[in-house]
Amino acid sequence: MSLTRRDVEGIAHLARLEITEGELPVYVDSLSKILSFVEQLNAAQTASVEPMAHPLEGEVQRLRADEVSERDAHLKYQANAPLVSAALYVVPKVIE
Amino acid sequence: MSEAAVRAGWEVVIGLEIHAQLATKSKIFSGSATAYGAAPNTQASLVDLGYPGTLPVLNREAVRMAVKFGLATGATIAPRSIFARKNYFYPDLPKGYQISQYERPVVEDGSIEILLDDGAKKTIGITRAHLEEDAGKSLHEGLANSSGIDLNRAGTPLLEIVSEPDLRSAKEAIAYLKKVHTLVRYLEICDGNMQEGSFRCDANVSVRRLGKTEFGTRCEIKNVNSFRFVEKAINYEVERQIDVLEGGGSIVQETRLYDSAKDETRSMRSKEEANDYRYFPDPDLLPLAIDAALIDAVRSTLPELPDEKAARFMLHYGLSAYDAGVLTASRELADYYETAVREVGGGGASAKLAANWVMGDFAAFLNRDGLEVGSARVPAAALAGLLRRIQDETISGKIAKEVFELMWADAASADAVIEAKGLKQITDSGAIESAIEAVMAANPKQLAEYRSGKDKLFGFFVGQTMKATQGKANPAQLNELLKKKLAGP
Amino acid sequence: MSIHLRSVAELAAGLQSREFSAVELARHFLARIDKENGALNAFVTVTPERALADAARADAVRAAGKAGPLTGIPLAHKDIFCTDGIKTSCGSKMLDNFVAPYDATVVARLGAAGTVMLGKTNMDEFAMGSSNETSYYGPVRNPWDRSKVPGGSSGGSAAAVAARLAPVATGTDTGGSIRQPAALVGISGLKPTYGRVSRYGMIAFASSLDQAGILAPSAEDCALLFAAMAGFDERDSTSVDAPVPDYVAALGAPLKGLRIGVLKEFFSEGLDSATGALVEAGIAQLRALGAEIAAVSCPNLPLSVPTYYVVAPAECSSNLSRFDGVRFGHRCERPRDLMDLYKRSRGEGFGAEVKRRIMTGTYVLSAGYYDAYYLKAQKVRSLITADFRRAFAEVDLLAGPTSPTPAFAIGAKVDDPITMYLNDIYTIGANLAGLPAMSVPCGFVGGLPVGLQLIGPHFGEARLLTAAHAYQRETDFHRRVPAAYA
């Protein structure tokens, strides 16, 4: 599967990754190679096969009791935050 | 804008997506509290913040609430449903994806009956209802060129309820919205507080030429936070779309916001590229299994539903469909009404009297003071006391209104107010006759005119006598005696 | 014997007999790290204060008569595990400034068992790699030949143990990241059944494949540590609530009658012949110990690498979206707007391989491609899992090579992603099917270690460890240490 520059720019945008002009051809090349490589999967007969979302077949989701078990620890958690003001995480203006 | 004003030749098609915040104590995937109004980011745990290494665990109560809704709308409860990741970047979405349900939701194929203005009933389909987590909030005040993100709300459980595009007018849409609002409050799964954002509505609106079967291009109007604004927004949007189409243009599928100040919808400023959400089953969560035991357990907790209660009110209390509908709009109001009726005793007349008072003065005072039924200043038993005094003719209906106002202001009983203000009805014919005679004597001109044929002046004498007795004369007796006396010796 | 050449059991005995204290033991390893880590680059963060505090506590516990089998045993944690109050980088610039505010369950359990944390080990960035060359902190070097890679992504843990800078280390395995480095540096490595060990606090790469495990010289060492890690965790919905067998007690069982399957698909053209010969000799050794060897086939296994390289990138592309410069991690300077904040923070914070996998994953999940790629891969995954199930109806364990070649030169394979991906050709199948698997050393090719891989059925760790232990009672490859580190 050969990707174009435009394809890769589109994917990078969806993934919010800045790719420089210089890097772009490298990614076009390696991503194309990877996608070609995985195309081997087309050979497999999977018409009546169920997809496997996780290896725990037959297991179902455990349910948790509805109880408040967490307490305010925002000072500790916000120690890692790049920019905080009045306990809010600050980002460039979100335009609605 | 009324039904009739929808322009000739056009049909409106509306589907509503409601996000109801489920009234659990803790969040859907973490043990953080969900209480409204906490200081910013004090109810955001590591899981809610999307910290690396954290994982979701599902809240049992959120599941039960979803099942409750499914049962109350006659829907299919999926024995296995799947949580999926909806991937997109936004600052109020900490993980960069929302855990939701996509291909296999927990509830499907339900319906709700609405009552239209003309009394007709219409069934509105509910395509699906699924569980998902809420995002946080962006705040803009006091931050130049920046936004502040509060993640307290991130992770609150939501039930997203999607209707079939069965609605054909803004009025129908509001009827549906109100019915769902009533239902989720009856079920005690959502407090329905639109101001606080616990009950949100997006409307998908399109128009098509009458007779056409394909749907027109639709626009989504987002996050309108009151019934009134939903109606206005839909009406504006319908007009806008018809204008565009009649002008030869075409509708761009887009998301629009309603501006209540200008009463118009406008396209969201950040030009929405069609978002590719890349849904896939969330590998951190296993399939949600709901078995008959859980369903039966939830079913046994279902209250009498609004439609059932309204039907019972019509049968039992002899009320009209309209009255029954108003009185059952909330469980609290319905319970209040039934308590009042029970306390008054007596038969159908009491039921009708109580209905009038609950829908009338009681509701008006609640509204005036911005109170919920639970905080009413006249409890049901006290209202019953007032109604008994009307029925036993201690006071007239008109005086009763005065009494009620004082009961409300002073949180007093009817008898206490009647006693204190001396409002007992005058039923002594002698006293009434004396009053009539005094009025007749004071108004010889009108008396003469009446006796010479001007029947309309009867009302004048009624009014004057009532005034003379501070409104306390028993109206029926007054009428009878006045007729006799006016007729002449 | 030098302290650092002793096994975990031997160290525990030494502590118990008061031959040395936990503090002395910690100091010994800290000194070795100080001296040797520079040339190996196995550690991102060394935690001497924490180690000595842990050790002092262990000594107190022992004095109070409450010591357990792991009290005072030093270990290193792969830098993918969150450690409260300690930098947790995941080998990435994105988390270079990140101090975890909580302990991963694995860290907490091993800590509660009395282990002493020496530091956080280097790794391929966000666990994506098979050579530990994608780390922001530079490549790790193989103690057997420092011009060679130690394997990845748990390269730092592997090198640290191989050079005996730590007696044991934790690792994670998503496509082979414990077993392959273990093989390349000549130690033992255990990847458990999916769901056996909690993933809470383990920074996620591919959620349906990731598992935490152990790297140690011997299977016995692995069993001792694994016993403290395994078990249900209510914070992890994919954690299985099943009883944990006594892995240590099971170790002595004889191999007689154990049916071992040799996978036809594992002895294919990509396998280096000298490596293959050693693996076959290892299998012969198992036969000599009483195992019955049978030929088995898992015909869909050759599709495991392409399957993995759809599923793992898909999951990681979503798991890594949380790194956006808002609440933690790298943030670019002076973002012009929101889009710029995201793109530059992520563009600067992530290395090339991570970006490559994020983009691959984004693509295979995107509209129009989901069915052809992601859904298809998950179906092939079902086929591979079914193949294994059928095989385990006939045999008790599978044996084969861990890696197609011994360690290769640093820089040799970085240019072509596919060549690098094929290093995991034998290990990936077990991750896709959620099966437990181990690598144990089985010889040397040109002075470089080779590993023998054992794969078990679901929750068959006891069987794996027993077989590996029996093999290691007869061989001494697991006791060999590079001369420079003896």
Side-chain angles (χ1 to χ4, degrees), chain B residues 107-435:
Chain B
V107 166
E108 277 184 301
D109 298 331
S111 65
I112 259 189
E113 208 171 63
I114 59 173
L115 204 56
L116 302 177
D117 277 354
D118 62 1
K121 289 193 191 155
K122 182 169 177 178
T123 300
I124 307 298
I126 293 176
T127 315
R128 52 185 278 155
H130 69 254
L131 288 166
E132 59 183 28
E133 55 179 351
D134 208 346
K137 282 192 188 155
S138 311
L139 304 168
H140 313 291
E141 303 95 56
L143 296 155
N145 291 320
S146 297
S147 299
I149 310 298
D150 174 13
L151 294 169
N152 280 348
R153 200 180 66 175
T156 304
L158 294 177
L159 188 66
E160 178 174 328
I161 303 162
V162 182
S163 83
E164 291 283 328
D166 289 345
L167 302 160
R168 293 287 172 272
S169 70
K171 283 253 178 304
E172 283 186 15
I174 299 309
Y176 169 80
L177 197 56
K178 286 187 171 170
K179 194 66 185 285
V180 175
H181 186 259
T182 293
L183 182 61
V184 298
R185 295 185 61 232
Y186 258 68
L187 297 173
E188 292 176 298
I189 64 177
C190 175
D191 69 13
N193 190 324
M194 293 179 85
Q195 279 69 42
E196 288 182 359
S198 49
F199 190 81
R200 316 198 285 257
C201 174
D202 298 337
N204 288 299
V205 181
S206 67
V207 299
R208 64 185 173 192
R209 294 267 180 202
L210 264 177
K212 280 254 183 291
T213 49
E214 313 102 49
F215 292 130
T217 306
R218 66 173 199 246
C219 288
E220 185 183 20
I221 308 172
K222 280 196 95 61
N223 272 346
V224 198
N225 68 354
S226 79
F227 296 127
R228 203 171 124 252
F229 289 154
V230 171
E231 189 168 1
K232 287 161 86 70
I234 292 174
N235 285 330
Y236 175 87
E237 182 60 17
V238 166
E239 282 295 296
R240 184 192 76 84
Q241 290 193 13
I242 294 177
D243 281 345
V244 167
L245 290 170
E246 283 188 345
S250 56
I251 304 299
V252 174
Q253 182 171 339
E254 60 184 355
T255 304
R256 300 176 68 86
L257 287 182
Y258 178 67
D259 181 338
S260 54
K262 295 187 186 160
D263 187 24
E264 62 182 27
T265 66
R266 59 166 193 280
S267 188
M268 285 181 78
R269 223 190 318 162
S270 55
K271 186 73 168 75
E272 279 249 326
E273 359 154 276
N275 237 323
D276 183 354
Y277 294 120
R278 289 157 279 137
Y279 283 99
F280 72 102
D282 192 331
D284 288 332
L285 291 164
L286 300 180
L288 172 59
I290 296 176
D291 60 10
L294 194 151
I295 294 178
D296 288 342
V298 174
R299 185 179 284 119
S300 69
T301 68
L302 284 177
E304 184 182 32
L305 298 179
D307 286 351
E308 295 164 2
K309 203 185 280 286
R312 181 169 65 78
F313 277 21
M314 284 171 70
L315 192 61
H316 203 120
Y317 301 116
L319 300 175
S320 68
Y322 177 79
D323 286 0
V326 172
L327 289 169
T328 57
S330 80
R331 259 168 93 178
E332 293 81 22
L333 191 65
D335 289 349
Y336 182 94
Y337 171 73
E338 291 207 273
T339 304
V341 173
R342 189 177 59 242
E343 296 286 320
V344 174
S350 306
K352 186 62 188 154
L353 181 66
N356 288 340
W357 271 86
V358 173
M359 292 191 301
D361 290 62
F362 178 72
F365 274 74
L366 278 182
N367 215 22
R368 182 198 75 175
D369 292 354
L371 295 173
E372 294 295 321
V373 175
S375 322
R377 295 181 59 81
V378 174
L383 177 64
L386 177 65
L387 300 180
R388 278 201 297 273
R389 291 293 168 259
I390 298 173
Q391 286 188 324
D392 66 20
E393 302 194 336
T394 303
I395 50 173
S396 68
K398 194 146 172 266
I399 292 287
K401 282 176 170 303
E402 254 183 75
V403 175
F404 183 80
E405 182 159 5
L406 291 166
M407 285 168 73
W408 189 278
D410 301 338
S413 72
D415 284 346
V417 171
I418 291 168
E419 183 66 39
K421 302 289 180 180
L423 292 169
K424 269 208 177 109
Q425 202 167 223
I426 298 172
T427 49
D428 170 7
S429 6
I432 297 178
E433 279 194 39
S434 307

Side-chain angles (χ1 to χ4, degrees), chain A residues 37-45, chain C residues 303 306-307 310 373 376-377 380:
Chain A
F37 174 71
V38 303
E39 251 146 42
Q40 295 172 59
L41 294 176
N42 293 336
Q45 295 302 317
Chain C
L303 289 175
T307 301
V310 170
Y373 288 98
K376 182 79 181 180
V380 176

Side-chain angles (χ1 to χ4, degrees), chain C residues 445-472:
Chain C
V445 171
L448 292 171
V450 168
L452 167 69
Q453 187 183 193
L454 299 169
I455 303 172
H458 285 115
F459 299 104
E461 287 87 347
R463 198 182 291 172
L464 277 175
L465 288 161
T466 301
H469 182 67
Y471 176 77
Q472 287 178 342

